[in-house]
Amino acid sequence: MTAERFTALWSSLTPIGLAGGDGGYLRHSWTDADLVCREWFVEEALDRDLEVEIDRNGNLWAWWGEPEGDGAVVTGSHLDSVPHGGGYDGPLGVVSGLLAVDRLRERGVTPARPLAVVVFTEEEGARFGVPCLGSRLMTGALDPAKALRLRDRDGAFLAEAMSRAGLDPERLGADHERLNRMAAFVELHIEQGRALDHVGAPVGVASAIWPHGRYRFDFSGEGNHAGTTRMSDRHDPMLTLAHTVLAADEAARAHGAHATVGRVNVAPNATNAIAARASAWLDARAADEMTLERLVETIHQRAEERARLDGTRVAMAAESVTGEVAFAGDVSRLAAKELGAPVLPTGAGHDAGVLAGHVDTAMLFVRNPTGVSHAPQESASAADCAVGVERLTDLLGRLCQ
């Protein structure tokens, strides 16, 4: 696989969903940009004589071989993005999966078992708030009734968005029959850090995913006039929120973990009014589950302590929590042995992490020289991406025989 061949296919996808002049993307699930990305995938799959289907949860599958056959080998990732995210997170795995099919054919490989490239729905959780939505529904990790109640920031329900795209949301739910037909899943992904750059390696193999979760904090106080309310008379939920953000940063550093508050809603959101309500979303990650629990407990406790001082109230709810995922099965061991690549953990969640509890799973990473992810500066060279395709092809070729 040459860098030029990778660039040719990559360039056909990159214009879709560009958001303004910062180089970032808006490809939220079931929006127009996401639907165009899906059309792109279907066209590329059909050009390769692959059989395309969409499952009950909106995940797209392109099959080389019999879709109903057992022992299927699957690769792929997602096409949705975070707001103004980079172009590689997700799409690199999809493009590489299609190119790996090309390379297997060029090598004269005829798979002895079905091979599929998959596009999972709403991996980022950027629109409806639950990451890895398509794979969680497929594995039964998410109750379909809960999924149907999910709403985006504009108030639109997931069911409405799927119906608009021509799908039946009443079919959402676990797809154990499909899972039971899968023998292996391999996800190639941009590295979300600089570990590979530091060791001069274009490709790496994942060892584990840190446990992580998303938690909503709701703060309530007393709305009032910004100019006439004495400072001593205020019950300002924004003050409690601000101290909670600082507490999260302090607790994360103390626990050797990660804590981020990157999204806030305020009401009434007026310049000359003290807020009556505010909500903040905490993203927390740690190397082990006990540390994650202690981290979140510490942050919650600090928020409640501050609320008592401010005369406000705070409530916390976990929106999604994922335990540690270790890639320790036969496929991951094969990848580490055969590819001769560095093995490294990651703090980011992936569909591979959801599937790992049901299917023998491995992850490959492609070097990201900037180390930036979920932002426009996310990058990889075409040469490294071409190496990633070759290593993915090597692994799929072994698994398909």
Side-chain angles (χ1 to χ4, degrees), residues 351-362:
D351 291 307
V354 176
L355 264 64
H358 305 266
V359 180
D360 201 349
T361 300

Side-chain angles (χ1 to χ4, degrees), residues 21-330:
D22 67 354
Y25 286 87
L26 286 175
R27 291 171 173 167
H28 295 169
S29 61
W30 305 117
T31 61
D32 290 342
D34 180 56
L35 295 177
V36 174
C37 285
R38 286 168 168 265
E39 291 174 1
W40 169 88
F41 177 76
V42 171
E43 291 173 2
E44 291 295 336
L46 294 177
D47 285 347
R48 289 165 171 79
D49 295 320
L50 304 178
E51 183 175 338
V52 178
E53 64 168 336
I54 186 166
D55 69 20
R56 62 191 301 173
N57 297 305
N59 305 311
L60 271 172
W61 302 76
W63 290 94
W64 181 11
E66 177 54 54
E68 302 298 324
D70 292 330
V73 175
V74 181
T75 189
S77 192
H78 62 97
L79 293 173
D80 65 303
S81 75
V82 300
H84 294 270
Y88 290 83
D89 183 350
L92 179 59
V94 176
V95 169
S96 298
L98 293 170
L99 291 172
V101 170
D102 295 344
R103 291 294 293 129
L104 286 170
R105 284 173 168 160
E106 291 165 1
R107 294 181 184 184
V109 173
T110 301
R113 55 180 64 183
L115 173 65
V117 182
V118 64
V119 175
F120 283 110
T121 296
E122 180 89 347
E123 192 271 354
E124 298 291 5
R127 183 174 183 187
F128 294 103
V130 177
C132 301
L133 182 65
S135 55
R136 286 179 188 267
L137 283 165
M138 176 182 168
T139 59
L142 177 64
D143 180 0
K146 178 180 178 181
L148 290 173
R149 294 193 298 269
L150 294 174
R151 303 178 75 167
D152 67 13
R153 300 185 192 192
D154 296 322
F157 285 99
L158 172 64
E160 296 171 349
M162 294 185 69
S163 296
R164 175 175 172 267
L167 278 74
D168 180 4
E170 295 300 325
R171 297 185 64 240
L172 290 180
D175 198 345
H176 296 303
E177 182 180 351
R178 183 180 300 271
L179 278 172
N180 291 337
R181 293 201 304 268
M182 292 173 58
F185 177 66
V186 182
E187 181 172 4
L188 180 143
H189 203 278
I190 187 74
E191 185 194 1
Q192 294 167 295
R194 294 190 62 191
L196 293 176
D197 190 54
H198 290 320
V199 298
V203 176
V205 178
S207 60
I209 296 175
W210 277 16
H212 55 279
R214 296 184 182 188
Y215 308 82
R216 174 173 173 152
F217 284 74
D218 289 313
F219 304 89
S220 57
E222 182 178 88
N224 215 326
H225 196 290
T228 60
T229 309
R230 295 185 305 174
M231 299 301 290
S232 59
D233 292 338
R234 300 184 180 207
H235 304 289
D236 187 352
M238 285 296 290
L239 190 60
T240 316
L241 187 158
H243 279 273
T244 301
V245 173
L246 293 173
D249 179 78
E250 181 181 316
R253 295 174 188 275
H255 286 83
H258 297 167
T260 306
V261 177
R263 176 185 168 192
V264 173
N265 286 345
V266 183
N269 204 27
T271 304
N272 59 348
I274 299 167
R277 299 177 305 281
S279 296
W281 282 260
L282 169 71
D283 181 300
R285 306 170 190 243
D288 60 81
E289 295 177 24
M290 184 174 295
T291 301
L292 178 64
E293 292 176 4
R294 286 200 301 264
L295 169 67
V296 176
E297 182 180 348
T298 299
I299 297 169
H300 189 197
Q301 183 179 9
R302 294 282 298 279
E304 289 182 323
E305 291 171 355
R306 184 67 205 191
R308 286 192 289 271
L309 290 175
D310 295 331
T312 58
R313 296 173 299 281
V314 60
M316 185 192 79
E319 293 194 337
S320 67
V321 181
T322 303
E324 181 182 13
V325 176
F327 297 111
D330 292 339

